[in-house]
Amino acid sequence: MTEPEQQHSHQFERGTDGPRVILVGVDGSDSSFRAAAYAGGLARRQHALLAVVYVQPMLVAGASLGAPVAEATDEVAEDLVAHIREATERVKGIFEVRWEFHTFRGDPFNGLRKAADDLKADAVVVGASEQAGHRFVGSVAIRLVKAGRWPVTVVP
């Protein structure tokens, strides 16, 4: 390789650095909404797509008892979309963020892991667990960090 070719191969290329997809997990908790706000700011500043993901729990025990589990989790997803659309409308014209809403089924860790892989996320943002038992068992955030596949930001 000649000297000019070597210099060209290491040249900075505008518009291709930074994350393209920032994934945020939401479940309706206060910490997940704080995580969504933080991720929205990251996505805006980085000109990235904000992938908002709700993992619908698969409650096997409730389903076996005849409880309308799927309908309940669908309602939660619809409420989350409505809440996100409201927040987006409030900042329209001030901040513009490209976003998509996705639902996956399963437990939160595996659902977010699958979502991050399927959506080719460059970063994952989640809220800190608000459940005391997670200090002993391990929260979704800790499990995502331990997976070591993406940078993970945990918002308190």
Side-chain angles (χ1 to χ4, degrees):
M1 208 183 261
T2 67
E3 190 173 323
E5 288 174 328
Q6 286 177 335
Q7 288 176 348
H8 181 69
S9 66
H10 296 288
Q11 191 175 34
F12 179 77
E13 188 175 345
R14 276 192 198 277
T16 59
D17 59 331
R20 292 188 181 165
V21 177
I22 296 173
L23 182 142
V24 62
V26 294
D27 61 6
S29 67
D30 288 342
S31 67
S32 78
F33 285 131
R34 288 190 297 270
Y38 181 82
L42 287 176
R44 179 184 56 80
R45 288 186 297 278
Q46 296 289 334
H47 306 287
L49 172 67
L50 177 63
V52 181
V53 175
Y54 169 60
V55 180
Q56 294 180 318
M58 300 286 287
L59 302 175
V60 179
S64 67
L65 297 173
V69 174
E71 289 147 12
T73 59
D74 286 344
E75 284 178 24
V76 171
E78 288 171 16
D79 287 347
L80 289 170
V81 170
H83 186 78
I84 294 162
R85 283 203 172 107
E86 258 178 50
T88 303
E89 284 300 315
R90 281 195 304 265
V91 297
K92 196 172 191 167
I94 302 167
F95 302 116
E96 296 298 325
V97 177
R98 294 179 306 123
W99 64 277
E100 298 175 349
F101 184 82
H102 300 271
T103 59
F104 288 78
R105 291 191 186 272
D107 69 275
F109 167 72
N110 285 313
L112 289 173
R113 182 189 52 75
K114 180 172 177 19
D117 286 344
D118 290 357
L119 299 170
K120 296 180 179 25
D122 296 300
V124 175
V125 180
V126 292
S129 175
E130 296 178 349
Q131 297 180 6
H134 285 173
R135 283 181 270 169
F136 304 108
V137 180
S139 68
V140 172
I142 297 296
R143 292 175 67 194
L144 288 167
V145 169
K146 286 183 178 181
R149 295 164 69 154
W150 332 263
V152 177
T153 302
V154 182
V155 178

